[in-house]
């Protein structure tokens, strides 16, 4: 994997670049739709390619390890062939999922022992095993195994957690460097900066990660309960330390406004379940603000979903029709809303890129944040 930093905004830290993998080139800043189990919920691969214009999607190590399992994925020739997605894929290591299973897992130096949410069976994720699993899944970009500590963790817990994550990172890198990809194309390992909301921990973590000289770096453990101002503070601090010539990936964030604020602070890559999850619940993100499609006000509104929208569904369907689908529990409503929201997120980061390259990102971003914050 290579990264070409093409332009940095003169007034902010916003960047435009190109990530090149064996499965294609990614223009940054970029949003990556979440395909936890190998599929982006309610969206066809053809829609992802042609309408959403996704350049890279995510899979999840924890979930794919449990279902369909490594034997099936290896027989298929890896996740790309299994799900018919021929563009880049990134896999999360499962650290966040293990974190979310706090009632069903035990952390120790060796790794994380947990019980499956499917059948209660017991499993152990070690840093070495997680590297092996992601080799078998076959993503272009794979993540180090970490502990994602809660946003409200006290200092002592956050410090202990970070120290464990750093020891695990060393083991991840040793395993990654001593093994080879399985399917004839390259893979890149991204370390993850943790440290909760404590500046000295985040600084130490960023320095530890930067020294590893990986192909790219991730910022984890944010948007997990901490105040939003703290999230932005930690992003700014960490990005002041991470290498400028490597892509920076902010994990699990966030709203459209979150994306623009993080881009302004130098983030290149994002993922979040929000566009599809919120879409399935009837919430649409638009250039002019957020719409709740279950509201009565849309019942006889026969205007397009969004004039000049990013997706074909925006002009094909009306607000009244989409509201009808949601109040009638019709599955098509989930698909339309998911396609719209993902296309909007990809449109937003592409617009950010264009304004970075044009040199007027700061002015555009300020106006866009005001619009995005409206409730329609």
């Amino acid at each position: 994997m290579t990264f070409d930093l093409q332009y940095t905004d003169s007034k902010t830290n916003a960047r435009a670049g190109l990530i090149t993998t064996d499965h294609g080139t990614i223009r940054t800043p970029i949003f990556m739709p979440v395909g936890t189990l190998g599929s982006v919920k309610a969206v066809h691969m053809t829609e992802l390619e042609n309408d959403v214009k996704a350049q890279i999607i995510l899979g999840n190590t924890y979930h794919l390890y449990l279902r369909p399992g490594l034997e099936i994925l290896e027989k298929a020739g890896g996740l790309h062939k299994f799900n018919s997605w021929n563009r880049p894929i990134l896999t999360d290591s499962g650290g966040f999922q293990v974190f979310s299973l706090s009632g069903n897992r035990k952390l120790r130096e060796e790794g994380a022992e947990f019980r499956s949410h499917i059948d209660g069976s017991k499993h152990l994720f070690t840093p070495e095993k997680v590297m092996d699993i992601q080799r078998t899944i076959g993503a272009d970009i794979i993540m180090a195994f970490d502990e994602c500590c809660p946003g409200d963790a006290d200092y002592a817990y956050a410090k202990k957690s970070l120290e464990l994550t750093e020891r695990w990172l060393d083991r991840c890198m040793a395993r990654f460097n001593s093994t080879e990809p399985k399917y004839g194309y390259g893979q890149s390992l991204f370390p993850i900066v943790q440290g909760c909301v404590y500046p000295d921990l985040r600084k130490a973590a960023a320095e530890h990660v930067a020294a590893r000289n990986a192909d790219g770096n991730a910022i984890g453990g944010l948007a997990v309960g901490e105040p939003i101002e703290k999230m932005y503070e930690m992003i700014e601090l960490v990005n002041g330390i991470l290498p400028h010539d490597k892509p920076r990936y902010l994990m699990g964030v966030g709203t459209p406004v979150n994306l623009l604020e993080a881009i302004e602070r130098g983030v290149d890559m994002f993922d979040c379940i929000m566009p599809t999850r919120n879409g399935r619940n009837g919430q649409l993100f638009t250039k002019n603000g957020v719409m709740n499609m279950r509201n009565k006000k849309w019942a006889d509104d026969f205007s397009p979903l969004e004039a000049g929208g990013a997706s074909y569904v925006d002009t094909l369907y009306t607000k009244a029709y989409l509201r009808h689908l949601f109040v009638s529990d019709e599955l098509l409503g989930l698909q339309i809303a998911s396609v719209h929201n993902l296309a909007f997120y990809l449109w937003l980061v592409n617009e950010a890129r264009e304004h970075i390259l044009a040199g007027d990102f700061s002015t555009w971003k300020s106006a866009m944040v005001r619009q995005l914050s409206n409730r329609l």
Side-chain angles (χ1 to χ4, degrees):
M1 191 198 88
T2 62
F3 178 60
D4 175 22
L5 180 57
Q6 297 174 296
Y7 191 84
T8 301
D9 182 61
S10 60
K11 297 180 180 178
T12 71
N13 290 314
R15 299 135 54 92
L18 290 175
I19 298 171
T20 302
T21 76
D22 287 346
H23 280 99
T25 299
I26 304 156
R27 298 180 300 278
T28 65
I30 190 63
F31 179 82
M32 304 178 285
V34 176
T36 302
L37 280 158
S39 71
V40 177
K41 286 183 172 56
V43 183
H44 292 292
M45 291 300 180
T46 53
E47 290 174 314
L48 283 174
E49 291 182 5
N50 301 323
D51 193 47
V52 172
K53 297 181 174 61
Q55 299 172 51
I56 176 174
I57 64 172
L58 266 69
N60 181 264
T61 295
Y62 166 85
H63 288 283
L64 291 167
Y65 162 78
L66 293 176
R67 284 189 302 203
L70 301 184
E71 183 179 355
I72 296 295
L73 287 168
E74 190 154 19
K75 284 183 178 178
L79 184 57
H80 289 90
K81 290 186 177 179
F82 188 60
N83 70 359
S84 299
W85 177 257
N86 296 316
R87 298 178 183 180
I89 295 175
L90 180 150
T91 42
D92 185 0
S93 70
F96 179 80
Q97 284 65 40
V98 171
F99 153 72
S100 66
L101 293 169
S102 56
N104 289 307
R105 56 104 165 124
K106 295 179 181 177
L107 296 180
R108 55 180 187 264
E109 190 66 35
E110 183 183 3
E113 183 181 279
F114 61 90
R115 290 193 177 275
S116 164
H117 71 285
I118 300 168
D119 59 9
S121 57
K122 188 182 291 187
H123 303 269
L124 176 66
F125 271 11
T126 66
E128 294 81 8
K129 184 171 183 178
V130 168
M131 293 297 97
D132 294 345
I133 293 169
Q134 290 184 91
R135 287 292 200 196
T136 298
I137 294 171
D140 301 87
I141 301 171
I142 72 177
M143 307 305 297
F145 191 50
D146 63 337
E147 185 198 354
C148 177
C149 80
D152 59 357
D154 62 34
Y155 185 88
Y157 183 92
K159 186 173 187 293
K160 182 179 178 182
S161 172
L162 175 59
E163 290 168 350
L164 179 64
T165 288
E166 291 184 341
R167 292 193 298 272
W168 282 359
L169 172 59
D170 292 339
R171 290 166 57 190
C172 284
M173 296 197 74
R175 185 64 156 220
F176 180 80
N177 291 333
S178 66
T179 57
E180 295 292 333
K182 291 191 173 185
Y183 307 114
Y185 54 84
Q187 293 180 291
S188 292
L189 172 64
F190 281 24
I192 303 172
V193 176
Q194 291 288 351
C196 198
V197 295
Y198 302 104
D200 63 321
L201 297 183
R202 284 284 176 179
K203 180 176 182 292
E207 290 170 348
H208 183 88
V209 162
R212 295 300 180 270
N213 195 32
D215 288 342
N217 300 294
I219 307 169
L222 294 175
V224 288
E226 79 284 353
I228 193 167
E229 296 80 11
K230 276 290 182 185
M231 178 175 77
Y232 295 147
E233 179 189 339
M234 295 302 104
I235 293 169
E236 199 161 335
L237 187 157
V238 168
N239 280 345
I241 299 168
L242 292 179
H244 287 272
D245 60 346
K246 304 292 177 66
R248 302 158 178 165
Y249 164 32
L250 179 60
M251 304 178 74
V253 178
T255 67
V257 171
N258 291 159
L259 266 62
L260 295 186
E261 295 291 351
I263 288 170
E264 184 177 66
R265 290 163 172 83
V267 172
D268 305 299
M269 304 168 69
F270 302 87
D271 81 283
C272 189
I273 62 172
M274 187 171 284
T276 47
R277 182 192 62 191
N278 290 28
R280 296 194 305 275
N281 287 306
Q283 186 179 72
L284 261 61
F285 299 100
T286 77
K287 292 189 286 288
N288 296 309
V290 180
M291 296 190 296
N292 181 350
M293 299 314 300
R294 294 182 180 274
N295 284 352
K296 179 70 174 176
K297 67 184 292 184
W298 310 121
D300 59 354
D301 187 332
F302 302 106
S303 63
L305 292 181
E306 183 174 17
S311 167
Y312 80 97
V313 301
D314 294 325
T315 54
L316 186 61
Y317 301 109
T318 66
K319 298 180 181 74
Y321 181 62
L322 185 56
R323 179 185 184 273
H324 159 69
L325 295 178
F326 272 105
V327 299
S328 304
D329 292 326
E330 283 290 324
L331 294 178
L332 180 59
L334 314 185
Q335 184 176 4
I336 292 171
S338 297
V339 169
H340 164 86
N341 280 350
L342 287 173
F344 171 73
Y345 267 59
L346 267 295
W347 172 86
L348 183 67
V349 294
N350 187 62
E351 283 292 296
R353 175 185 168 83
E354 293 302 316
H355 285 281
I356 292 167
L357 293 172
D360 63 351
F361 171 79
S362 186
T363 303
W364 171 82
K365 178 253 179 183
S366 297
M368 185 58 66
V369 165
R370 288 193 295 271
Q371 289 178 214
L372 296 172
S373 301
N374 293 328
R375 293 279 175 174
L376 302 178

